[in-house]
Amino acid sequence: MARPALSRIFAELSTPKPSFTGFVSESTIRSASNLASRFMCSSAQQPQSSHEEKANEEKPESVKEKLEIEDEEEEEDGDHVNKETGEVGGPKGPEPTRYGDWERNGRCYDF
Amino acid sequence: MAAASIAYVGGQLQYGVNFCRGQSFRQADWLPGLTVNGCLQRELSWSYGVSKFLQIHRCKFSQSPASENWKSFRTLTTSAYLRDGSTKYFDFAVIGSGIAGLRYALEVAKQGTVAVITKAEPHESNTNYAQGGVSAVLCPSDSVESHMQDTIVAGAYLCDEETVKVVCTEGPDRIRELIAMGASFDHGEDGNLHLAREGGHSHHRIVHAADMTGREIERALLEAVVNDPNIVVFKHHFAIDLLTSQDGSETVCHGVDALNTETQEVVRFISKVTLLASGGAGHIYPSTTNPLVATGDGMAMAHRAQAVISNMEFVQFHPTALADEGLPIKPKKARENAFLITEAVRGDGGILYNLSMERFMPLYDERAELAPRDVVARSIDDQLKKRNEKYVLLDISHKPREKILSHFPNIASECLRHGLDITRQPIPVVPAAHYMCGGVRAGLQGETNVRGLYVAGEVACTGLHGANRLASNSLLEALVFARRAVQPSIDHMKGSSSDLSASNMWTRPVVPKSLGTDVTNKILRATKEVRKELQSIMWKYVGIVRSTTRLQAAEQKIGELEAKWETYLFEHGWQRTMVALDACELRNLFCCAKLVVSSALARHESRGLHYTTDFPHLEESKRLPTVIFPSAHMMSTWSSRQLHQQSMY
């Protein structure tokens, strides 16, 4: 427990640990995935297809069922097209937000 | 000049009153016995020789006697200064290299020289870990009003409506600019941006780049920054304290002292304008999604520099982060940021148990595991505190193995690496701190009550998030406010004259070389232990379910711990102007922790992220921001004073 260690540190002189090092960031830079070529954001006047809207508004249960039936093929990075939503270069597999948070393969990245 | 100062500060506080306007409250309730104007005249005289007060909104109102003997900086004689390498002069100083800092830097660089000061590698920021998306109204069937409404509902009606309107209105243009700068977002086959719909949003409006929106935005902005001849990035420069002076009743910011952690040299930055974009403070808690750099440096520096802080009680937790303590094979190195388990596990039928294998959710909510995330978070927290345990269990093993592995491969592999098979055993989970809704109080232009100091991003409290942040609104807030702070900054910069002798006005921080490696190692070890203890106190007493007793206990324990640590430092020869990364980070963590505790104690209701068993309901009359003014605190700890003020005491 931290408390006894603290008391020990405060009360006694203790043997020093070797090498004081300054902060070093250990994180590695993971390269960004290869995304499709950039598009300027089109004007707001162009509506998204209603089909796309409907597909994204499916309830989680039916999405789950769909996933059990569908078998999404892995395509090359950057060229992947989501069959349901028409999204290019997006996350493969089930819709990340289908349960409200942003998840990939079980890990939640945003909420 | 004095009138202008008061008006300026008044503008700030007037904004604060607008915050509450239209909501039923009486001004007299806001600061006990004082109207805002009266407050300005009497309480906000910042000039030297007059004591300052710690004023906790709606709560304790303590006054300390006017006993300080401030030297007026105006009368300090300045000998010929040395324009050496350890002082740098820039038009703009930006502290932090996340989305807010970089976005701002790119804009102001068109008008002047910019220093971006960042404590680690430039990409090491909360932005980089924000992997969901950024919200904006980009679909014709969507509307600003809808985005506003979603934001205000999520914020438990504590948001500032004007701020919400500004952010939701200006968001789409900010996204378009990002794209023009080279950020690549996912689009549909028809060429339109693909918009996802996240929890709490009534429309599809989340712009994203596959899984790594934050990283993509960071990448694009950094590339532009690196290529900008007017911007110099000082990485591995840890900001220590803002350099401030008094101009009548107003505090003015002139720059910042920093420690180059690679060379162990102190660098002084003198700038006409300073933007604080230093991000969050997740590491006041033991379990957090934030990278290690998030130690609340900006909030602490601002508080020490007399900036007003707001809404610090609203800390967002995620209920189910993978609890390393519960893994059979513990990670060799402490995980830097928490691995969050998605809601989908519960949505797919995962059951929560305490360590006695009791299913506890039905005790708290009839929806059991399918209750809203905040309810689940509170329930888990309550169980952990009541039972004095470190984690609970999330069990999905009753589901078919193939489904588990196909839906949650990332969780499966991460757990398997540590000896746990989630198709057979429950997953150990514990809540993790994720986002600070509060921070340095900002006006609509990102201005603070300190002249020349602007804030943007998570370090700021703009009024957008209120009592709880809506998903994907934080990157948006950073973008909008970074942009809004630009013109006022430029105007301010143009109106400032370079006072090249200014650099010697403040005592310089020093590195503790004179102590020798033995002592510095001892101090480092003690500092690391104290940090863990502080985090433990915060989690135990200032977690998700709070109470007055626990908060008061936290206040006391943190005070004692801080005193012990500081005594230890000084007994080992540490001088008040000495700086080292770990010590300075801990100093900031103490400061932020105390701000959170004070704010939590001040709110006598439960709203959004702040839940207290002593006031478990919403109180309409309390639908007000929590505001902390700076003070000449009677207990002047090392963490609560700017380094260059230490010698005053």
Side-chain angles (χ1 to χ4, degrees):
Chain A
M1 281 199 49
R3 226 11 185 188
L6 266 178
S7 314
R8 188 165 30 86
I9 284 166
F10 288 141
E12 310 165 14
L13 292 173
S14 44
T15 50
K17 283 279 189 286
S19 69
F20 177 107
T21 51
F23 177 83
V24 175
S25 167
E26 297 282 11
S27 63
T28 55
I29 303 171
R30 288 165 286 184
S31 55
S33 70
N34 209 3
L35 299 176
S37 51
R38 295 178 221 137
F39 283 72
M40 290 295 290
C41 177
S42 43
S43 82
Q45 274 74 45
Q46 291 181 34
Q48 278 190 333
S49 63
S50 55
H51 161 74
E52 194 179 320
E53 292 249 280
K54 273 209 189 102
N56 286 337
E57 276 165 13
E58 281 179 24
K59 289 204 169 55
E61 295 84 52
S62 53
V63 167
K64 221 173 60 165
E65 279 170 38
K66 266 208 163 187
L67 294 168
E68 285 162 18
I69 299 163
E70 283 180 4
D71 182 24
E72 284 200 36
E73 291 291 325
E74 288 275 327
E75 301 189 22
E76 278 173 39
D77 267 356
D79 292 322
H80 175 254
V81 180
N82 187 308
K83 290 181 176 65
E84 268 174 55
T85 65
E87 184 181 358
V88 177
K92 299 172 188 124
E95 179 60 34
T97 57
R98 67 196 187 285
Y99 281 101
D101 62 0
W102 190 285
E103 75 82 36
R104 293 302 299 145
N105 299 322
R107 184 169 188 174
C108 164
Y109 289 98
D110 188 31
F111 59 98
Chain B
M1 181 62 116
S5 307
I6 288 169
Y8 172 83
V9 179
Q12 185 58 24
L13 274 186
Q14 191 58 39
Y15 166 77
V17 176
N18 288 344
F19 217 98
C20 316
R21 200 163 52 189
Q23 306 162 7
S24 51
F25 91 112
R26 289 160 296 167
Q27 277 198 12
D29 284 353
W30 194 55
L31 283 165
L34 294 166
T35 62
V36 175
N37 285 335
C39 167
L40 283 172
Q41 297 291 335
R42 185 158 80 84
E43 304 312 332
L44 295 178
S45 42
W46 302 132
S47 58
Y48 284 133
V50 178
S51 60
K52 299 153 198 178
F53 306 98
L54 175 67
Q55 298 171 6
I56 304 291
H57 163 57
R58 290 181 286 105
C59 195
K60 296 178 287 187
F61 187 73
S62 54
Q63 296 190 8
S64 52
S67 57
E68 273 79 45
N69 182 21
W70 289 92
K71 259 193 226 170
S72 165
F73 278 130
R74 287 171 177 273
T75 62
L76 266 181
T77 53
T78 54
S79 48
Y81 73 96
L82 297 160
R83 202 212 267 253
D84 53 74
S86 62
T87 302
K88 300 191 190 296
Y89 296 81
F90 284 87
D91 294 316
F92 305 93
V94 175
I95 301 169
S97 58
I99 183 174
L102 298 184
R103 183 67 190 86
Y104 173 91
L106 286 167
E107 215 58 48
V108 295
K110 298 172 187 170
Q111 299 280 344
T113 56
V114 185
V116 172
I117 300 158
T118 188
K119 65 195 278 192
E121 288 294 315
H123 64 273
E124 200 57 29
S125 59
N126 273 6
T127 296
N128 213 41
Y129 292 79
Q131 300 312 344
V134 43
S135 54
V137 175
L138 288 158
C139 173
S141 65
D142 195 2
S143 69
V144 167
E145 287 69 33
S146 169
H147 191 182
M148 284 180 63
Q149 184 63 16
D150 291 342
T151 300
I152 290 168
V153 166
Y157 298 91
L158 197 66
C159 312
D160 175 57
E161 279 202 34
E162 215 179 327
T163 304
V164 176
K165 184 167 185 187
V166 156
V167 172
C168 295
T169 305
E170 297 181 2
D173 278 344
R174 300 290 83 81
I175 304 288
R176 292 183 189 111
E177 278 163 9
L178 265 189
I179 293 170
M181 284 179 185
S184 237
F185 297 119
D186 290 356
H187 52 275
E189 285 173 303
D190 57 359
N192 288 321
L193 281 174
H194 180 265
L195 303 171
R197 181 173 163 180
E198 219 172 344
H201 289 273
S202 319
H203 276 87
H204 289 264
R205 59 173 79 103
I206 312 300
V207 173
H208 55 279
D211 295 328
M212 336 162 314
T213 307
R215 201 176 310 157
E216 170 57 13
I217 294 175
E218 183 74 15
R219 179 205 65 76
L221 292 175
L222 257 182
E223 195 177 306
V225 159
V226 159
N227 290 327
D228 191 312
N230 262 0
I231 303 177
V232 184
V233 178
F234 294 89
K235 58 183 186 175
H236 297 292
H237 279 64
F238 174 85
I240 300 163
D241 264 312
L242 297 169
L243 301 169
T244 54
S245 68
Q246 293 303 124
D247 181 13
S249 61
E250 207 180 6
T251 308
V252 184
C253 181
H254 302 276
V256 59
D257 277 339
L259 171 67
N260 182 333
T261 54
E262 287 183 317
T263 63
Q264 293 301 310
E265 281 168 343
V266 171
V267 182
R268 174 158 286 178
F269 292 89
I270 303 290
S271 58
K272 295 174 186 173
V273 178
T274 306
L275 177 85
L276 256 188
S278 45
H283 283 272
I284 59 175
Y285 290 99
S287 177
T288 175
T289 57
N290 293 183
L292 281 170
V293 294
T295 51
D297 304 329
M299 290 160 190
M301 285 194 292
H303 179 61
R304 290 193 291 262
Q306 316 297 314
V308 174
I309 308 291
S310 189
N311 286 353
M312 288 291 281
E313 66 270 41
F314 300 111
V315 181
Q316 189 175 45
F317 286 84
H318 188 279
T320 52
L322 186 60
D324 288 337
E325 299 102 327
L327 293 170
I329 304 168
K330 310 277 182 291
K332 287 193 193 69
K333 206 170 61 132
R335 193 187 298 274
E336 281 181 15
N337 40 55
F339 184 117
L340 301 182
I341 309 284
T342 175
E343 318 233 4
V345 172
R346 283 179 283 119
D348 270 7
I351 308 288
L352 283 163
Y353 297 100
N354 59 33
L355 293 185
S356 301
M357 288 313 286
E358 295 163 339
R359 186 182 179 187
F360 56 84
M361 275 313 300
L363 299 172
Y364 296 94
D365 194 289
E366 61 192 8
R367 295 165 286 192
E369 282 78 9
L370 297 179
R373 190 183 52 242
D374 295 345
V375 175
V376 174
R378 264 177 243 144
S379 308
I380 294 176
D381 188 68
D382 192 56
Q383 283 287 300
L384 292 174
K385 302 300 147 66
K386 281 201 164 82
R387 299 171 55 87
N388 198 21
E389 280 163 358
K390 294 224 157 91
Y391 54 89
V392 295
L393 301 167
L394 178 57
D395 195 2
I396 192 82
S397 63
H398 52 284
K399 289 289 170 184
R401 182 187 160 81
E402 312 74 48
K403 293 275 161 62
I404 297 172
L405 294 178
S406 80
H407 286 183
F408 312 121
N410 210 339
I411 307 178
S413 66
E414 181 66 18
C415 287
L416 202 58
R417 271 180 355 117
H418 296 98
L420 190 120
D421 181 355
I422 67 170
T423 66
R424 294 217 180 118
Q425 301 157 276
I427 309 164
V429 293
V430 68
H434 181 69
Y435 186 84
M436 306 289 300
C437 296
V440 184
R441 186 69 180 267
L444 286 173
Q445 316 294 333
E447 78 274 23
T448 67
N449 60 301
V450 175
R451 200 168 81 215
L453 181 68
Y454 296 82
V455 287
E458 193 175 349
V459 70
C461 181
T462 64
L464 177 73
H465 304 307
N468 195 351
R469 177 187 68 92
L470 177 64
S472 299
N473 262 8
S474 47
L475 292 176
L476 179 68
E477 182 197 36
L479 274 178
V480 168
F481 272 83
R483 188 64 188 77
R484 287 180 72 87
V486 167
Q487 196 53 52
S489 297
I490 291 169
D491 294 342
H492 183 85
M493 187 273 291
K494 290 190 167 151
S496 306
S497 52
S498 288
D499 183 3
L500 300 179
S501 67
S503 77
N504 284 338
M505 269 168 59
W506 306 272
T507 314
R508 250 171 218 273
V510 292
V511 293
K513 273 201 205 101
S514 59
L515 297 180
T517 38
D518 280 1
V519 170
T520 44
N521 285 341
K522 265 219 292 273
I523 286 175
L524 176 62
R525 223 183 79 186
T527 300
K528 284 189 198 290
E529 289 297 328
V530 172
R531 176 159 160 159
K532 285 197 198 116
E533 180 65 17
L534 174 64
Q535 291 168 339
S536 173
I537 293 170
M538 285 302 287
W539 175 234
K540 192 168 176 189
Y541 296 97
V542 199
I544 302 171
V545 177
R546 298 163 175 172
S547 74
T548 307
T549 320
R550 294 182 92 88
L551 292 172
Q552 286 169 341
E555 204 170 46
Q556 193 202 348
K557 284 174 190 292
I558 292 170
E560 283 169 3
L561 184 65
E562 189 184 6
K564 249 196 207 148
W565 176 63
E566 292 192 1
T567 304
Y568 186 83
L569 286 184
F570 301 130
E571 275 177 356
H572 281 78
W574 189 269
Q575 302 300 307
R576 287 178 171 272
T577 51
M578 279 181 178
V579 291
L581 178 65
D582 289 75
C584 289
E585 278 189 337
L586 183 53
R587 167 177 185 254
N588 293 338
L589 290 169
F590 267 118
C591 187
C592 286
K594 289 187 292 186
L595 289 169
V596 171
V597 174
S598 302
S599 305
L601 276 167
R603 183 164 295 276
H604 294 180
E605 63 153 1
S606 288
R607 184 178 296 272
L609 296 167
H610 175 70
Y611 181 85
T612 170
T613 54
D614 289 286
F615 308 98
H617 306 293
L618 286 168
E619 286 283 331
E620 180 58 25
S621 63
K622 311 277 185 206
R623 188 160 59 97
L624 305 164
T626 304
V627 183
I628 298 184
F629 292 94
S631 77
H633 213 221
M634 282 168 286
M635 284 171 23
S636 63
T637 62
W638 190 53
S639 86
S640 57
R641 301 241 147 263
Q642 290 167 308
L643 234 69
H644 47 81
Q645 296 296 328
Q646 302 288 335
S647 52
M648 293 292 180
Y649 295 91

